[in-house]
C-alpha cells in the first residue's frame, strides 16, 4: 500500500510537552559515552553561561521521536514500518537545550515520493520552548522498501 500523499504539507502539533530533566540529560550523555562536564555538572554549565546542565546535541531525538511516531504510525498514512530504514536525521539548533526547558513539537510532512519503487517520506519537526521561541529544527527521512 502506497503512502497517502494527502499528508504532504500538513502539520501535526504534538500535544504533550517534553519536560527536560537534569537526570534525563545525564543519563543520555552517559548512554552515548560523552563525558562533557556541561552535560552532568551544573556548576560547569553555569561557568559556561548556561542556567543548568546542557543537553548533548542529539538529545532532541527523544523529544522529536515521540511527535514523529504519532504521524508515522497513523494508519491513514499507510507507512509499512516493517520495511522502514532510516535514511537521514539532522538537527539545526537555534539554541542549547538545558534542564528545565519545556519543549513543544510540531511535525510537518514535507514530501512523500516513490523512488525506484520505494516510498520515501521526509518530515521536519520544529521544536519550541514554553514561550514559543525556536529551539531546534529536526529533519528526518525514512524509506519504506518495496516488497520483493
Amino acid at each position: 500500500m502506497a503512502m497517502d500523499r494527502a499528508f504532504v504539507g500538513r502539520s501535526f502539533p504534538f500535544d504533550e510537552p517534553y519536560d527536560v530533566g537534569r537526570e534525563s540529560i545525564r543519563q543520555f550523555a552517559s548512554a552515548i559515552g560523552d563525558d562533557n562536564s556541561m552535560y552532568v555538572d551544573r556548576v560547569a554549565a553555569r561557568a559556561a553561561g548556561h542556567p543548568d546542565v546542557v543537553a548533548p546535541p542529539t538529545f532532541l531525538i527523544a523529544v522529536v521521536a515521540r511527535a514523529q511516531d504519532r504521524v508515522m504510525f497513523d494508519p491513514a498514512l499507510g507507512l509499512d514500518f516493517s520495511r522502514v530504514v532510516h535514511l537521514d536525521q539532522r538537527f539545526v539548533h537555534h539554541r542549547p537545550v538545558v534542564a528545565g526547558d519545556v519543549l513543544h513539537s510540531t511535525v510537518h510532512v514535507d514530501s512523500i515520493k516513490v523512488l525506484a519503487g520505494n516510498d520515501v517520506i521526509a518530515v521536519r519537526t520544529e521544536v519550541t520552548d514554553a514561550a514559543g521561541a525556536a529551539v531546534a529544527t529536526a529533519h528526518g527521512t525514512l524509506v519504506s522498501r518495496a516488497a520483493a
Side-chain angles (χ1 to χ4, degrees):
M1 178 174 121
M3 284 190 278
D4 184 352
R5 289 196 166 98
F7 275 68
V8 176
R10 291 176 54 191
S11 298
F12 301 87
F14 190 62
D15 56 1
E16 298 174 28
Y18 188 101
D19 296 328
V20 179
R22 192 175 300 127
E23 286 307 314
S24 296
I25 290 173
R26 288 175 177 151
Q27 291 169 355
F28 188 89
S30 175
I32 63 171
D34 193 328
D35 60 358
N36 184 322
S37 62
M38 289 194 312
Y39 302 155
V40 295
D41 182 350
R42 192 164 56 183
V43 173
R46 285 184 174 163
H50 303 286
D52 208 316
V53 296
V54 179
T58 55
F59 178 84
L60 281 173
I61 194 63
V63 179
V64 301
R66 300 177 327 144
Q68 289 179 355
D69 284 355
R70 187 169 287 174
V71 177
M72 299 300 180
F73 287 102
D74 182 335
L77 175 61
L79 176 63
D80 181 355
F81 224 83
S82 69
R83 300 183 161 286
V84 164
V85 292
H86 202 179
L87 179 65
D88 180 44
Q89 182 70 58
R90 295 176 285 120
F91 295 99
V92 177
H93 295 271
H94 307 298
R95 71 158 176 85
V97 172
V98 296
D101 275 334
V102 177
L103 302 176
H104 300 266
S105 300
T106 299
V107 178
H108 305 270
V109 178
D110 288 339
S111 68
I112 296 175
K113 300 175 183 173
V114 176
L115 298 173
N118 302 302
D119 289 327
V120 180
I121 182 169
V123 297
R124 172 178 39 90
T125 304
E126 299 292 344
V127 179
T128 58
D129 63 18
V135 173
T137 303
H139 300 272
T141 306
L142 300 177
V143 176
S144 181
R145 295 171 287 125

